[in-house]
């Protein structure tokens, strides 16, 4: 997800990412090789280049009372002032890029990542820790995890106390299901005295690694230790997810509603909440929550799933819009929404073969629960036990305790045992965020 998906773990100010919460996988060629089995897509129109520099191409969505435009104008002015110096200070540009990154995570709009790239371009050779960290965040958003890890390592070499770099490295290792490496980064945060970041990091590491109860306890302690609203939103969201995995829907709903009550726009929270509601067979509530969020691919997917379940007239147009967006993403080599694309192909396009190809390619790069479930469901639909073997191996090695995942894993090895109600269930998606 554009959440969503960026890295889906924890990010400072942090919004990993799935952390919402993106690079080519080793099996990316399978998507191209299997093009013939993908759903038919209409041809896209040729791009149009405006001839008038004053032409308004689109009005970006702003909520009533939203002060974002004024905030961005102030940050841009600071960048312009710095640019007039013989040796421009990179910090104003870094702060503006960070804000763009936050907006991409909160609104699910990847255009803000392009704006951040442009702002940081003049400082491509800078070795300042904050610049290196920002560069790493942008790389992880596009799933260049190796490049991002290297940038964060360089930031720590320049400043061993740069906590956000440890947090981001931990987030990436969690996405890759490398829990031992993630715990090293968590421990470094504890050594630096960053209790909230440590709790967020170790909480997810334990939850993913077969200790849902211990993970929940760590996240709860971190929540009690912080009054920062952004941190609380992230922790409440993850506590909602962990409670759902533990089979505690009432507790999960309380955490989600507490997060929503903070009144902060957050695409990852809305995605996780919507997935919870879809799993609880409450699609009408999803339609209510997501009615004004069509600009986000990940949230539009969930809206279309809910509308389709309710047989609403709007579903047809939204399904077509998703088809067009995923086709456009493939044409430009964008692999940041493959978990969502796999769900689209299976649940809306009725193309399990395409879903399996996309889900398998995605799982070579990202191995969070949100990435595992679409692969299991597609493998079951195609009666392809071998395709789901990587997920079954993860379930075995990690000890991940969610009962639905364990049922799906067993069913993927023996298609005949799969209850239809399980196969029809919708999937979940994760994300990131906690300030240093």
């Amino acid at each position: 997800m554009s959440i969503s998906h960026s890295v889906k773990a924890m990010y400072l100010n942090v919004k990993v990412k799935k952390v919402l919460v993106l690079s080519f996988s080793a099996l990316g060629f399978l998507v191209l090789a299997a093009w013939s089995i993908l759903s038919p897509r209409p041809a896209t129109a040729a791009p149009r280049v405006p001839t008038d520099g004053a032409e308004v191409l689109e009005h970006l969505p702003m909520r009533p009372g939203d002060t974002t435009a004024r905030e961005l104008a102030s940050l841009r002015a600071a960048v312009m002032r710095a640019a007039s110096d013989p040796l421009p200070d990179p910090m104003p540009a870094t702060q503006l890029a960070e804000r763009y990154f936050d907006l991409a995570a909160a609104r699910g709009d990847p255009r803000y990542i392009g704006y951040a790239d442009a702002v940081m371009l003049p400082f491509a050779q800078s070795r300042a820790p904050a610049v290196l960290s920002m560069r790493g965040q942008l790389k992880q958003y596009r799933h260049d995890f190796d490049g991002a890890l290297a940038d964060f390592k360089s930031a720590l070499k320049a400043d061993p106390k740069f906590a956000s770099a440890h947090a981001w490295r931990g987030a990436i290792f969690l996405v890759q299901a490398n829990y031992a490496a993630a715990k090293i980064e968590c421990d470094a945060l504890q050594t630096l005295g960053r209790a909230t970041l440590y709790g967020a990091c170790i909480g997810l590491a334990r939850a993913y690694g077969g200790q849902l109860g211990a993970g929940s306890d760590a996240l709860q302690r971190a929540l009690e230790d912080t009054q920062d609203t952004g941190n609380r939103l992230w922790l409440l969201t993850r506590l909602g997810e962990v409670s759902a995995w533990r089979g505690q829907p009432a507790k999960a709903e309380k955490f989600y509603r507490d997060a929503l009550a903070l009144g902060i726009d957050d695409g990852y929270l809305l995605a996780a909440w919507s997935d919870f509601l879809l799993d609880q067979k409450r699609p009408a509530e999803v339609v209510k929550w997501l009615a004004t969020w069509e600009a986000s691919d990940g949230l539009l997917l969930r809206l279309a799933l809910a509308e389709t379940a309710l047989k609403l007239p709007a579903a047809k147009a939204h399904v077509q819009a998703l088809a067009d967006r995923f086709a456009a993403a493939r044409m430009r080599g964008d692999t940041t929404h493959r978990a969502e694309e796999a769900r689209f192909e299976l649940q809306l396009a009725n193309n399990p073969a395409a879903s399996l190809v996309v889900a398998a390619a995605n799982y070579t790069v990202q191995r969070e629960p949100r990435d595992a479930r679409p692969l299991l469901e597609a493998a079951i639909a195609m009666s392809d036990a071998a395709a789901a073997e990587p997920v079954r191996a993860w379930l075995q090695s990690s000890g991940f305790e969610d009962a639905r995942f364990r049922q799906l894993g067993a069913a993927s090895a023996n298609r005949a045992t799969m209850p239809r109600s399980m196969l029809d269930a919708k999937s979940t998606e994760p994300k990131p965020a906690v300030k240093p």
Side-chain angles (χ1 to χ4, degrees), residues 188-316:
L189 291 167
Q190 185 178 42
T191 299
L192 291 174
R194 302 303 183 98
T196 302
L197 281 175
Y198 169 73
C201 182
I202 200 66
L204 276 190
R206 289 171 179 167
Y208 287 2
Q211 298 176 285
L212 286 177
S216 180
D217 290 345
L219 292 169
Q220 185 69 55
R221 286 192 296 271
L223 179 66
E224 293 166 358
D225 285 342
T226 182
Q227 295 304 312
D228 179 90
T229 55
N231 290 353
R232 292 185 66 80
L233 182 142
W234 189 89
L235 289 161
L236 286 165
T237 303
R238 299 320 292 252
L239 280 163
E241 290 180 312
V242 172
S243 296
W245 294 334
R246 298 178 75 185
Q248 301 171 336
K251 196 171 183 179
E253 181 159 351
K254 175 66 165 57
F255 283 127
Y256 282 133
R257 289 194 179 279
D258 285 350
L260 292 162
L262 294 172
I264 301 172
D265 279 353
D266 191 87
Y268 186 82
L269 167 60
L270 288 172
W273 170 235
S274 297
D275 284 338
F276 172 78
L277 292 174
L278 289 170
D279 275 341
Q280 296 294 310
K281 310 298 182 187
R282 294 157 61 181
E285 294 173 68
V286 175
V287 172
K288 182 189 77 170
W289 281 99
L290 301 186
T292 61
W293 285 87
E294 293 102 326
S296 165
D297 294 352
L299 297 182
L300 181 60
L301 169 72
R302 290 154 175 85
L303 177 60
L305 287 169
E307 291 170 338
T308 299
L310 295 168
K311 297 181 170 58
L312 297 181
K316 182 177 180 181

Side-chain angles (χ1 to χ4, degrees), residues 42-48:
T44 55
R48 181 180 68 83

Side-chain angles (χ1 to χ4, degrees), residues 110-123:
R111 288 174 294 188
Y112 288 110
I113 297 299
Y115 306 156
D117 278 330
V119 169
M120 296 306 297
L121 187 60
F123 305 99

Side-chain angles (χ1 to χ4, degrees), residues 177-193:
N178 187 345
Y179 305 132
K183 288 176 181 176
I184 292 173
E185 303 299 334
C186 299
D187 290 344
L189 291 167
Q190 185 178 42
T191 299
L192 291 174

Side-chain angles (χ1 to χ4, degrees), residues 354-413:
S355 178
L356 184 57
V357 169
V358 176
N362 179 62
Y363 199 71
T364 66
V365 180
Q366 301 193 114
R367 301 182 185 89
E368 285 191 285
R370 68 173 292 274
D371 306 296
R373 185 166 166 179
L375 179 52
L376 287 173
E377 292 175 339
I380 290 165
M382 289 298 293
S383 300
D384 190 337
E389 175 55 31
V391 179
R392 291 196 299 273
W394 166 72
L395 287 169
Q396 177 66 29
S397 63
S398 70
F400 187 64
E401 297 171 307
D402 180 274
R404 174 181 276 117
F405 275 78
R406 297 224 156 254
Q407 285 181 274
L408 288 169
S412 71

